[in-house]
Each structure stands twice: as structure tokens, then as C-alpha cells.
Amino acid sequence: MRKNFGAQTWLFPMPVLIIGTYSDGDLPNAMNAAWGGIHDHNQIAVCIDPPHKTAENLLKRGFFTVSCGTAERVVECDYVGIVSGNDEPRKIAAANLHARKGEFADAPVFDEFPVALECKLVSFDPKTGCTVGEILNVTADESVLDEKGNITFDKFHPLIYDPVSHNYYSVGTTAGKAFCDGKKLKK
Amino acid sequence: MRKNFGAQTWLFPMPVLIIGTYSDGDLPNAMNAAWGGIHDHNQIAVCIDPPHKTAENLLKRGFFTVSCGTAERVVECDYVGIVSGNDEPRKIAAANLHARKGEFADAPVFDEFPVALECKLVSFDPKTGCTVGEILNVTADESVLDEKGNITFDKFHPLIYDPVSHNYYSVGTTAGKAFCDGKKLKK
């Protein structure tokens, strides 16, 4: 038996995306978004409601970053989601986050978030807030790289947002190998 | 120090989305997609390359389902990703999956995938494969519900795809509480 929940915006897993932009005066800002994903061969889509300071910023500057929230920084991730840059322009300082300008995007990369995508604005829908960005670069702190220089979940602990319980979760153990496990069913 | 990886379509966590459609003759089909996310207040976006059988099907029928891959069914999830419905029209039977028509969408809901979104096609970009669907219903098997009737990660084990290692992962332990943990930083 199945239960119907109606038209819910639920997906499992759902990411914790920290959208970084510059406000006027090069003041770094960040917000927390769960609605988004890879959109195309070189693009990401994220939903940013038009009243957000972030929407104003990315339309002015044409760039944004998308950092993946981490278990180590769950308090900071949640803080930038519940406090608006409209009410607290210095929220980045209040959260003890440290920003430096991206090498590829005119948007802040935060020291505390080890993996970030630097993006150029492609389109913004003022009705829905749907924001599409071209991914210019993925930047990762060396602290989350393995001995071969690859990002590894052994050191990098991205957050998952559960839209039902409103809990954040971490990534668990290996469950399988892509492009491999399915061969067992091949005739 | 940070390392630049260039323009990679990486996001962490990335979902394992099983896209269900009907081929001609009401033959259920499924494919595996990692590029997608909630797109708007009632929409989901997924990237489905135009040569896929799924693209043909959803344009013909106007509906699709999005099931969340699970750790219990990692072999089946991977199988529908590596075998094309163009080459193996009876791939659902080959994977021992069992489909019944959605209550809200003219597309298959699979018994083996406990959580699925039933969607109506809103738009399809033939150049990129970007597919937007209106979420009509979220359906969940009773086996993944808690005593209050809510979907719970205690029983539901969605897969995460790591685009770097190409491993599948399961969801781990609770890392925090959304709309709550960040209050610690509020002045």
C-alpha cells in the first residue's frame, strides 16, 4: 500500500546549497537554498526567491558561488538560512565566516566551506526565482582531497536536507559502484 | 590552499533519480539521472539527453515519474542507468521491477522504489534535454513511513551519487536541525 502526499517539493537527497554573492560595497552575503541541482552539461539551477538580498545581488553583479554545506558547519549553514541579508547586512561576519573573491566569479568563496562552484548568471526568472548559472569552476580546499588530489567523502562531509523532518543529515557509507553494479542484471 | 577543478558538473550530495515513462504499448521504462533538483514551488527539473528512450516517451505521453533510488535497490538503479530502453525494451522485466500506473500521472510507479514523484511535463529543451515537470503527487510506500505516517530515513534509504568516485552512498546520521541550529549565532 502507498500513501499519497499531494504536490510536495520533496526530493531525497536534497542538498544544502550556500549561495554566495556580493552586496553593494563588496560586502559578502550568503543564503541557504535546498531547491537546486545540476541543470545541464555546464549549468546549475537554484531557486532564489526574488525578495532575497541574494537575488538583488546576483542581478547586479552577474555572478554567484554555490558552496556545499557541511556537517562541520551546520550552525553557520542554518544561520545564513534563517537570517536575511536585508535585516543583517553583516551576517557573514556575524557567522564568523571568511570570504575571499573567487578566481573565476565576482562572488565570494568562503574559507569555511571546502567545496564551492563559481558561477556566472545565465538567467533569472523574476516570477519564480529560478536562477540558472554557468559553472565556471569547482574549487576545493586541500583539506578535503585524497592523496591523488580528488575530493573524497572520507574528508568532505556534505549536508543533506530532509524536507520532511527538517533535519540535516550527513552522507553515510558506500552503497555501491555506479556503471558497475547493474552489470549483474545484464543478460 | 584551494585546488581548481575547472567547469565540472559536480554537486554534493547528488541524487539518484529513476525516471519512469511508458514506451509504446504501455511498456514501462526507466532510466537513471543524477542531474536534477526541485526547480520551483511545484516543479522539478531533470536533465534527460534527447537520444534517451525516456525523452521520446515523455514527449509522447506528457508525464513521467521520478523515483528516488535506494540502497536496497542499488543494482536495479544502476542497471536502468547502463542499459538503454532503445536496446532492451523489456529492461524493467529484466531488472525484476514491477510497475503500476500512477494515480496522478500517466507514467509507471515501481513497487520496488518506495518514494516517487508523479509529474506532468511542463517543458523539454530538445537541445539540452532539460526537462521540467509539475509535481502532481508524492507517493510513498507504507514500509518507509513512521508511526505518524511520515517518510522517515529510519526506513527509507535514498542513494547519493558521488560524481567524483562514481560510488553510490547512503544517507548517514542526523547532523543538525534546520531553522533551529542557526539561532545560536543570532544576536
Side-chain angles (χ1 to χ4, degrees):
Chain A
M1 281 287 291
R2 301 184 77 106
K3 177 175 174 180
N4 294 322
F5 288 90
Q8 303 289 344
T9 47
W10 292 349
L11 203 66
F12 309 93
M14 210 171 232
V16 176
L17 306 175
I18 308 299
I19 315 297
T21 54
Y22 281 120
S23 303
D24 288 344
D26 288 341
L27 205 58
N29 189 34
M31 67 169 274
N32 178 328
W35 293 0
I38 297 295
H39 191 59
D40 192 3
H41 295 83
N42 62 347
Q43 294 184 341
I44 185 169
V46 286
C47 207
I48 297 166
D49 261 355
H52 279 298
K53 185 72 180 169
T54 296
E56 179 190 325
N57 289 353
L58 62 85
L59 284 170
K60 278 189 187 167
R61 299 288 274 249
F63 292 92
F64 60 99
T65 56
V66 179
S67 299
C68 302
T70 62
E72 290 83 355
R73 297 292 176 174
V74 65
V75 170
E76 291 85 346
C77 290
D78 197 55
Y79 174 77
V80 300
I82 61 180
V83 171
S84 166
N86 287 315
D87 302 326
E88 174 55 276
R90 300 194 172 273
K91 68 195 268 196
I92 298 304
N96 267 315
L97 295 172
H98 300 85
R100 47 191 90 202
K101 191 169 178 157
E103 283 184 56
F104 295 77
D106 181 19
V109 171
F110 300 97
D111 291 349
E112 288 77 8
F113 297 127
V115 176
L117 282 64
E118 299 184 63
C119 305
K120 183 180 177 184
L121 182 64
V122 171
S123 65
F124 179 80
D125 183 331
K127 269 194 281 191
T128 65
C130 282
T131 307
V132 175
E134 178 188 348
I135 302 167
L136 304 174
N137 183 50
V138 175
T139 164
D141 193 86
E142 288 184 347
S143 61
V144 298
L145 305 181
D146 64 17
E147 67 283 359
K148 289 180 182 167
N150 295 321
I151 297 168
T152 172
F153 284 172
D154 289 343
K155 299 178 175 182
F156 170 50
H157 308 122
L159 284 176
I160 295 153
Y161 172 60
D162 176 7
V164 175
S165 68
H166 303 297
N167 284 327
Y168 295 113
Y169 285 81
S170 57
V171 173
T173 52
T174 312
K177 187 80 190 153
F179 310 109
C180 179
D181 286 351
K183 290 178 187 169
K184 292 174 195 164
L185 291 174
K186 267 182 130 172
K187 294 280 142 60
Chain B
M1 280 286 292
R2 299 185 78 105
K3 178 176 174 179
N4 294 323
F5 288 89
Q8 304 289 344
T9 46
W10 293 348
L11 203 66
F12 308 93
M14 208 171 234
V16 176
L17 307 175
I18 308 298
I19 316 297
T21 54
Y22 281 120
S23 303
D24 290 343
D26 288 343
L27 205 58
N29 189 35
M31 66 168 276
N32 178 327
W35 293 2
I38 296 296
H39 192 60
D40 192 4
H41 295 84
N42 62 347
Q43 294 185 341
I44 185 169
V46 286
C47 207
I48 297 166
D49 262 353
H52 280 299
K53 185 73 180 167
T54 297
E56 180 191 324
N57 289 352
L58 63 84
L59 284 170
K60 277 188 188 167
R61 299 287 277 249
F63 292 93
F64 60 99
T65 55
V66 179
S67 299
C68 303
T70 62
E72 289 83 354
R73 297 293 176 172
V74 65
V75 170
E76 290 86 346
C77 291
D78 198 53
Y79 174 78
V80 301
I82 61 180
V83 171
S84 167
N86 288 314
D87 303 325
E88 174 55 277
R90 300 194 172 273
K91 68 195 267 194
I92 297 305
N96 267 316
L97 295 171
H98 299 84
R100 47 190 91 202
K101 192 168 178 158
E103 284 184 56
F104 295 76
D106 180 17
V109 171
F110 300 98
D111 290 349
E112 288 77 10
F113 297 127
V115 176
L117 283 63
E118 299 184 64
C119 305
K120 183 180 177 183
L121 182 64
V122 170
S123 64
F124 178 80
D125 182 332
K127 269 195 280 194
T128 64
C130 282
T131 307
V132 175
E134 179 187 346
I135 302 167
L136 303 175
N137 182 49
V138 176
T139 164
D141 193 86
E142 287 184 347
S143 61
V144 298
L145 305 181
D146 63 17
E147 67 283 358
K148 290 180 182 165
N150 295 320
I151 297 169
T152 172
F153 284 171
D154 289 342
K155 299 179 175 182
F156 170 50
H157 308 122
L159 284 177
I160 295 153
Y161 173 60
D162 175 6
V164 175
S165 69
H166 304 296
N167 285 327
Y168 296 113
Y169 286 81
S170 56
V171 172
T173 52
T174 312
K177 187 82 192 153
F179 312 109
C180 178
D181 286 351
K183 290 179 186 167
K184 292 173 195 163
L185 291 173
K186 270 183 123 170
K187 294 278 142 61

